[in-house]
Amino acid sequence: MSTGLAVAPPEPLSLPDGGPAARAWSLATDMLHLNHGSFGAVPVAAQVEQDRLRERAERAPVVWFPDQPRRIAEARDVIAAFLRVPVGDLALVPNASAGVSTVLTSLTLRPGAEILVSDHGYGAVTMAAQRVAARCGGRVRTVHVPLSADADDAFAAVAEQVGAATGLILLDQITSSTGRLLPVGRIADLARERGIPFLVDGAHAPGMLAAPLDGLDCDFWTGNLHKFGCTPRGTSALVVRGPLREALHPLIDSWGAELPFPERFDHTGTQDTSAWLAAPAALSFVERTWGWDTARGYLSALADYGQHVVAQAITRHTGQDALPSVGTPAPALRLVRLPDTLGPGRFEGNALRDRAAHELGAETAFTAFDGVGYLRLSAHVYNTPADYEEFAERCVPALLAWGRTA
């Protein structure tokens, strides 16, 4: 894939008064935040609402906590509507990893069962799968899906590894390290035909995809609202359908243990659930300011532009094509290939992330796949084309200098 392709910059989004969209976020003005995909960024409106809720809890905790399940149920109504799923199918959990752990802990796998994952999977989730598989005397089988594989090839790679020993399929809807979509709808149909439970890790999907569960007939799905949905951190959904859901219980039992799903998840004891309760404020802020469909269109166009600007800068300095071939790229995540000496593994990538933040004032994600390091760019409504242009002009030369001395 050539970096010579010209990609036009989209017109930046603005607030109703004409001000820049970034003003509605409290991001540090001296930091380039090009990594929304890791920890998100919370609009000031939602931060204010969360602070208000915390203050109310502190003023009268004996009043607050018994009433908390009712408030959580109201927030679930809003979140279910945003995801376009029945509210009775949705429970709230702290993050997608907690959603995965909830399912893995509740399921009873037969002795010797295999859990099928891909080599694009989120590392912590794969570790959890390995622990559960070992507990039943089974193992994790990892499917290799080439980065350039299209939807058909990715489906074929997974289907080929599904066998009699498969007790659970666990795959990403949008991969974290490689920013690509996997054909989870088709895989769900295959799993249903074979009678195999299917758990979809949709950590990046809420907000990036308009309806992440449309056409997806899986047993379990979990996704973070605090990434592209911009809610306060610690807000995630666990959607469960079919008879297996009655076996699911929160990771911590409380007084709701005897209630049906999902109401039993609304009873959280003394957990601070202000992030869940403030989530509707974040979702509604984006909707009333720009509309989520408009926002999604901007994110995709900006991600395209940012990828090409940064890739062209690396190619200009190194003579090597920095624009990788990704079979089905996610709408708001893009990869740029790094020189061979930069970030070929997880620990090297994390070191680059930390150094870029402290020395360059740029919050970015560095990932690796098949021994190759990548810069993973994210885009959200507060980002502008100028952010990626600045990174290409100011930060790319420094990164390449680090590579030469690695």
Side-chain angles (χ1 to χ4, degrees):
M1 186 180 294
S2 171
T3 59
L5 177 64
V7 176
E11 187 66 28
L13 295 181
S14 61
L15 295 172
D17 63 4
R23 197 174 65 196
W25 273 260
S26 60
L27 295 167
T29 55
D30 59 343
M31 292 285 284
L32 273 178
H33 189 50
L34 304 181
N35 187 18
H36 189 93
S38 284
F39 302 106
V42 185
V44 171
Q47 295 180 43
V48 170
E49 175 63 5
Q50 187 176 15
D51 288 343
R52 185 187 72 83
L53 292 166
R54 283 174 171 156
E55 183 181 8
R56 289 192 63 178
E58 293 303 328
R59 283 177 178 270
V62 178
V63 174
W64 176 267
F65 283 102
D67 192 44
Q68 194 167 241
R70 178 190 64 81
R71 295 175 182 272
I72 293 172
E74 291 177 350
R76 280 198 297 109
D77 282 341
V78 176
I79 292 170
F82 177 72
L83 294 174
R84 304 181 191 178
V85 299
V87 68
D89 292 347
L90 184 146
L92 294 179
V93 291
N95 51 48
S97 294
V100 169
S101 293
T102 298
V103 174
L104 293 176
T105 301
S106 300
L107 280 182
T108 301
L109 295 176
R110 64 182 181 273
E114 291 183 350
I115 300 177
L116 193 67
V117 302
S118 88
D119 55 355
H120 296 255
Y122 189 62
V125 167
T126 299
M127 291 176 190
Q130 290 168 338
R131 175 178 56 81
V132 171
R135 195 170 62 200
C136 73
R139 67 166 186 154
V140 168
R141 180 184 288 272
T142 302
V143 180
H144 173 60
V145 178
L147 185 62
S148 61
D150 62 15
D152 289 339
D153 290 338
F155 172 76
V158 173
E160 185 180 4
Q161 297 297 322
V162 177
T166 308
L168 174 70
I169 301 174
L170 169 52
L171 295 173
D172 299 63
Q173 187 169 25
I174 298 172
T175 63
S176 178
S177 61
T178 51
R180 63 159 295 153
L181 297 159
L182 290 177
V184 290
R186 293 173 62 185
I187 295 166
D189 293 341
L190 173 66
R192 189 70 67 195
E193 291 172 6
R194 304 283 185 90
I196 301 170
F198 184 25
L199 167 56
V200 176
D201 180 356
H204 291 271
M208 196 192 308
L209 303 181
L213 284 107
D214 274 9
L216 177 54
D217 185 22
C218 61
D219 302 278
F220 316 100
W221 177 96
T222 186
N224 292 324
L225 277 295
H226 56 246
K227 289 183 182 282
F228 288 89
C230 295
T231 68
R233 295 168 191 89
T235 307
S236 300
L238 173 61
V239 176
V240 188
R241 297 174 292 202
L244 291 174
R245 76 180 183 180
E246 288 312 316
L248 257 64
H249 289 265
L251 293 174
I252 301 174
D253 285 322
S254 189
W255 287 103
E258 296 180 347
L259 295 174
F261 181 93
E263 284 82 5
R264 64 175 70 116
F265 282 76
D266 295 344
H267 291 257
T268 63
T270 54
Q271 178 183 332
D272 179 3
T273 61
S274 59
W276 297 1
L277 304 183
L283 300 176
S284 65
F285 169 76
V286 175
E287 178 58 40
R288 70 174 182 268
T289 306
W290 302 285
W292 274 101
D293 288 341
T294 297
R296 277 186 282 268
Y298 177 72
L299 305 191
S300 183
L302 184 58
D304 279 340
Y305 179 74
Q307 179 192 39
H308 281 76
V309 166
V310 176
Q312 285 173 346
I314 292 177
T315 298
R316 188 167 57 250
H317 287 282
T318 66
Q320 299 176 353
D321 192 347
L323 198 60
S325 176
V326 179
T328 49
L333 293 172
R334 294 291 185 276
L335 294 184
V336 175
R337 178 166 179 157
L338 296 171
D340 293 342
T341 52
L342 277 176
R346 169 174 159 240
F347 295 107
E348 295 90 344
N350 288 346
L352 281 175
R353 174 201 63 198
D354 296 342
R355 189 174 181 184
H358 293 298
E359 297 185 26
L360 303 179
E363 294 185 313
T364 54
F366 294 88
T367 66
F369 182 73
D370 263 359
V372 177
Y374 296 94
L375 173 67
R376 192 199 70 186
L377 297 172
S378 304
H380 217 284
V381 293
Y382 54 80
N383 290 126
T384 68
D387 293 337
Y388 304 90
E389 293 163 3
E390 178 185 348
F391 186 89
E393 180 179 350
R394 182 172 63 81
C395 300
V396 163
L399 288 176
L400 298 179
W402 297 347
R404 287 192 294 271
T405 59

